[in-house]
Amino acid sequence: MSGEKFGAFIRARREAKEIGLREMAKMIGVSPTYVSKVERDEFPPPAEDKIRLIAGVIGCDVDELLARAGKVASDLSDIIKRNPVEVAALLRTTKGLSADDLAWLAREAQKTKDK
Amino acid sequence: MSGEKFGAFIRARREAKEIGLREMAKMIGVSPTYVSKVERDEFPPPAEDKIRLIAGVIGCDVDELLARAGKVASDLSDIIKRNPVEVAALLRTTKGLSADDLAWLAREAQKTKDK
DNA sequence: ACGGTCGTCAACTGATATCTAAACACTCTC
DNA sequence: GAGAGTGTTTAGATATCAGTTGACGACCGT
């Protein structure tokens, strides 16, 4: 499942979009040096807000990119913290379910909410 | 929902169990000074592994105590990272659901898995 | 009055996260 | 062959995390 490291991944995407390193740096509000280091995995992935901007620039899903960076979106953490016991139980139960099953479950959740 | 700070909470629990500060410190493998500071919220909550030990000592749910510390169990983070897009969608949908609804949803997930 | 226990204070340490600025080398164009 | 782009190297800055050591004053039983 996408063994590609964070840095290599965003470099490939950036180059595919023909965006220069300095241009990218300006867009996400960091120094070019930093982008260079991160893209060669010499520095760890940046903070969440920067990752969100990068996702916008290279056009990929924020949650996926965050996962690749080894992080979890802070709004998701907040949701867990609101009902730690129940949500933890739910998540542990979903461990091992397929993407399709997860999608089905999300629809069930939506139905419950609408009710 | 339990506005009590992390430190004050564990101090109350510890005292209720008549456990000394030094004893507690020994049990979780840190210095007494550290426990003292944490319990008076002069230091931020400890790392996850220490929090797990504390939960065992004072007898409370690990996920709840982690939430109180503003953290999320790392096994839950791992579950999210395995299927970031689908699990993120599921979690955002569950936002606002009651504890009962969440429990129901977990049972649905279990049924799906058994199938 | 003495040793033991209680919690506390001040001062520090090492590691990790999250970045920056300045100078460098290579290529491509004119 | 000068200038304008690339990306890269060297060398930090700054903050937060996750704690430790050693000394301190208050109290307790004997």
Side-chain angles (χ1 to χ4, degrees):
Chain A
M1 189 169 296
S2 68
E4 213 173 358
K5 292 290 160 215
F6 180 82
F9 177 78
I10 71 170
R11 167 147 296 188
R13 291 294 195 161
R14 176 177 65 76
E15 286 175 345
K17 292 236 165 195
E18 315 229 29
I19 299 169
L21 183 150
R22 279 154 216 272
E23 194 184 346
M24 166 88 126
K26 185 150 277 184
M27 285 193 272
I28 69 176
V30 296
S31 70
T33 303
Y34 184 57
V35 173
S36 172
K37 294 250 174 199
V38 168
E39 285 190 347
R40 286 172 300 116
D41 295 299
E42 204 177 310
F43 274 4
E48 176 169 346
D49 57 329
K50 309 294 194 301
I51 293 182
R52 288 183 181 279
L53 292 169
I54 292 171
V57 170
I58 68 178
C60 87
D61 184 87
V62 170
D63 292 300
E64 197 217 305
L65 193 59
L66 280 168
R68 217 181 271 271
K71 296 177 193 274
V72 167
S74 52
D75 67 311
L76 298 184
S77 293
D78 291 343
I79 288 169
I80 296 172
K81 286 172 212 160
R82 228 171 250 273
N83 271 98
V85 178
E86 294 79 11
V87 176
L90 171 60
L91 281 179
R92 293 195 179 100
T93 308
T94 69
K95 185 172 160 189
L97 287 181
S98 69
D100 282 354
D101 288 340
L102 288 168
W104 174 83
L105 206 57
R107 285 195 299 278
E108 286 303 304
Q110 187 59 53
K111 282 198 271 181
T112 305
K113 202 152 76 166
D114 292 340
K115 194 187 53 185
Chain B
M1 187 168 298
S2 67
E4 211 174 359
K5 293 289 160 215
F6 180 82
F9 177 78
I10 71 171
R11 167 147 297 186
R13 292 294 196 161
R14 176 176 65 77
E15 286 174 345
K17 293 235 164 193
E18 315 229 31
I19 298 169
L21 185 149
R22 280 158 216 269
E23 194 184 347
M24 165 89 126
K26 185 149 277 184
M27 285 193 272
I28 69 175
V30 296
S31 69
T33 304
Y34 184 58
V35 173
S36 172
K37 294 254 180 195
V38 167
E39 286 190 347
R40 286 170 302 115
D41 295 300
E42 203 177 309
F43 274 3
E48 177 170 345
D49 57 329
K50 308 294 194 304
I51 294 182
R52 288 183 181 280
L53 292 169
I54 293 170
V57 170
I58 68 179
C60 87
D61 184 88
V62 171
D63 292 299
E64 198 217 304
L65 193 59
L66 281 169
R68 214 181 274 270
K71 296 176 194 274
V72 167
S74 53
D75 66 312
L76 298 183
S77 294
D78 290 343
I79 289 169
I80 296 172
K81 286 172 212 160
R82 225 168 252 272
N83 272 95
V85 178
E86 293 80 9
V87 176
L90 171 60
L91 280 179
R92 293 196 179 101
T93 307
T94 68
K95 186 173 161 187
L97 265 76
S98 70
D100 283 354
D101 287 340
L102 287 169
W104 174 84
L105 206 58
R107 284 195 300 278
E108 287 303 304
Q110 186 59 54
K111 281 198 272 180
T112 305
K113 202 151 77 167
D114 291 341
K115 191 187 56 183

